[in-house]
Amino acid sequence: MTPVLEVTRPHHERAVHEVLLLLQTDAERGLTTSDVISRRERFGRNVLPPNRRHGPVVQFLLQFHSPLVYVLLAAGAVTLAIGHVEDAGVILVVVLVNAIIGFIQEWRAGRALEALADATRTEASVLRDGTVVRLDSTDVVPGDVVLLDAGGKVPADLRLLRSTGLRVDESALTGESVPVEKGEADLPAETPLGDRFNMAYAGTLVVGGAATGIVVATGVETEIGRIHQLVGQAEGVQTPLTRKLARFSRWLTVGIVVLAALTFLIGVLRQEEAGQMLLAAVALAVAAIPEGLPAAVTITLAIGVSRMARRHAIIRHLPAAETLGSTTVICTDKTGTLTMNRMSVVAVHADGARKVIDEPIDEAARLCLLAGLRCNDAEWDGVAGVGDPTEIALLEAAARHDIVTPDGVRRRASVPFSSDLRLMAVLDDTPDGPVVWVKGAVESVLALCEGNDDALIAAEQMAAGGLRVLAFARCTVPQEFRLDEVALQSLPCEFLGLQAMADPPRPEAIAAVAACHTAGITVTMITGDHAATARAIAQQIGILPAEAPDDAVVTGRELTEFDREHLADRLQYARVLARVSAEQKLRVVEALQSRGQIVAMTGDGVNDAPALKQADIGIAMGMGGTEVAKEASAMILTDDDFASIESAIEEGRSVFDNLTKFIIWTLPTSLGEALVVLSAIVVGTMLPVLPVQILWINMTTAVALGLMLAFEPGEPGIMRRPPRRPDQPLMTAALVRRIISVGAIMMIGAFGSFTLAQSMGLSLDQSRTVVVSAFVAMEIGYLVNCRVLDRSVLTVGLFSNRWLLWGVGTMIVLQVLFVQLPFMNGLFSSAPLPWQAWVGVVGLGVAMTLLVGVEKWMAARLGPRRTVTQRKA
């Protein structure tokens, strides 16, 4: 007989007897002990395989896999080879510090599959050898007969054999916001995952009723196992910043190697000593590399992360802080993110009229609410409820209008909800005699009543508005009446009315969506709900206009017909995706990324994990999200609120602005230092600055000065500008001109200072100390202008960033120690300076501030012309 894992037809399409025959299982006795042993040997345990990850040693070594690090290591090796041990040691320390920071950051990530495996473990009631036994879900094998009860977790994928009012919460797997009613009837093969009511899937939760099912898949063959494989296949993507920095690093590496080789060649052609030329080439390489950049990027991102945490967004991976600012599309879940994640009765239709639940109601509406109170298995304590979310909503609605069970009323019997009848009934004994209360699907309840066409029309209108509608009725019966399914179907009931429920939108989400649109960010809603419900919520929140065309909403069934190109085309105008599966969410993210979009994806369920990992930034819900979703994401919302995403994007844009300011500030120094070394070789003079002195400049100024730019607040209007184009380079044409001009000024100032110091009779060590101090002074002068790149610093105030003032003070103290302390003199070949040299150094700093200020003033006078230049870059 063909075993279960080799079948080609899906199990939801097969009849119950066919599934039993296929799996060689007895529905009344289950598997025998020998069957279990043989099947476990064949199919293995009901577990998901562990995720393969790099060990800590490999992870640490990978931190050195960078072109710029290779150049630094080569420079250190050459420096050591020619006997400059101290210089080589300083270079090595710089490389190690950056590697340690990167290792700590990355080792904290990558546990999504482990959490996914834990999510499926539970205990199961299994029928074996005719006896019900409790065992760990890992011991379940294909063909086992499993018994499900309310409150339990489904241990494996099951084809249901029989059920009684079974309702399963599949939100973590399918995104469906309300529990799904289950049954045993056969279904067409093409039935979507969320509509397969004759199946129960591993990891989902039974919220009501009971059922018996046969295990048809375990481990990686389950639906959650397929998601496990998708998470493993979703490799994640580099953030926009890391992509641009990687590209920038490659170009910079090539340039450094070429210039270092050219420096050595020029010196040799001028018949200079080869050892000195090697030292000069190393000096140029060290000068051109912005050693402080990796640490500065990490710390700037960390500061942004702390700011986001104060706005309810926890960043798990540092680069995600910047990615938020680059986001062009947000794919957001509906339930709990855009909505309150709480079913609530919003209207009652009774006696031919519709009443809003928050307004005073008449007796007919009160009677309808009483029916919802009595025909109910949930519990409500006045604050929270326990049970089915729909039934809790009915209890809450009754409580709003102070409706309670009358004295002397008690339940005698009930008929639980059945997927066949689509009804629930309760028989109450009352002082006036027995009464049957009925609740259920509109068509099913109306079939027990007469003459209620207006109610059917009202129900259709409310359902078209995205509301979930239940109908209510009652019937007075004789004292000897016995309630069962047969008797229920023949009761002549009195129709009482309709109750319409919804998961209401968050008010703050409406404002946040509008803010995203203003910022040029597309918001797309992806949900497991039905299309009508999804459309209605999207219109209420502002994702869709009131008169949105039909093709603005796409269903999962339609998505299966699209290839990637067609899907990417549809996503240009489709704003709502309904009834989608885990694979389809992943395809949506990949299709958007294929068009160059920077995608943020929100999610809370197991089914969201692959897409969360694939997205440029995955955003999980902290309150209602599964551990699987959290581990696959880069960011977690502590309040599950879409408005927090908008706030985090604002902070992300500020992070990118501050990173850009740091890069624009540090690169001219590297350029100026490299040009000083190259100029010295060309004119045949001594090196004005040594490699170890260049490292002093680069590292101390990066920390004491450059990092202070990370504390700059967001600029006004930051959320009124469109997102940066994904293909826009890190450096625009205008900023490249700024780097070249400032680098040239620094080269002229530093080389001129060296020449002047030599002419004044200062020693070589003193002359080089003047050059180091001149670079520091010019960097301080330039730093002031980098606080605002395109306007005068006076527009934000000279003293508005107190951290920057502390940084400048610290750098001045460090530089004085560098010049004056004998210990520093021995380590860095520096020397004390006369006061005349200090006057010249301070003058260079002031001159740099004025020159860059004038350049920005002239650029502002150009106005639109400069703006166009930047846009084209």
Side-chain angles (χ1 to χ4, degrees), residues 93-179:
V93 169
V94 170
V95 173
L96 281 175
V97 168
N98 285 329
I100 291 170
I101 292 173
F103 171 76
I104 293 173
Q105 172 191 335
E106 291 184 11
W107 184 244
R108 297 172 56 194
R111 295 181 298 163
L113 298 182
E114 286 84 346
L116 186 55
D118 291 340
T120 62
R121 294 196 62 171
T122 183
E123 283 197 335
S125 295
V126 181
L127 186 63
R128 288 183 178 171
D129 291 315
T131 303
V132 176
V133 294
R134 292 285 292 176
L135 45 82
D136 193 281
S137 63
T138 60
D139 293 326
V140 171
V141 297
D144 263 329
V145 176
V146 175
L147 283 65
L148 300 177
D149 291 298
K153 190 179 286 187
V154 180
D157 284 3
L158 310 178
R159 170 65 165 91
L160 298 179
L161 305 178
R162 47 187 175 270
S163 67
T164 304
L166 183 69
R167 297 189 305 280
V168 180
D169 179 359
E170 295 184 337
S171 58
L173 184 64
T174 66
E176 176 69 60
S177 59
V178 296

Side-chain angles (χ1 to χ4, degrees), residues 312-314 316 335-337 341 506 602-605 612 618-631 633 635-642 644-645:
H312 308 292
I314 304 298
R316 297 184 64 246
T335 305
T337 308
N341 195 22
R506 290 177 179 262
T602 76
D604 55 7
L612 287 172
I619 305 172
M621 304 299 111
M623 296 174 63
T626 62
E627 288 302 312
V628 181
K630 294 175 187 177
E631 290 297 330
S633 67
M635 184 176 98
I636 300 173
L637 298 183
T638 59
D639 59 357
D640 291 10
D641 190 350
F642 184 86
S644 298
I645 300 176

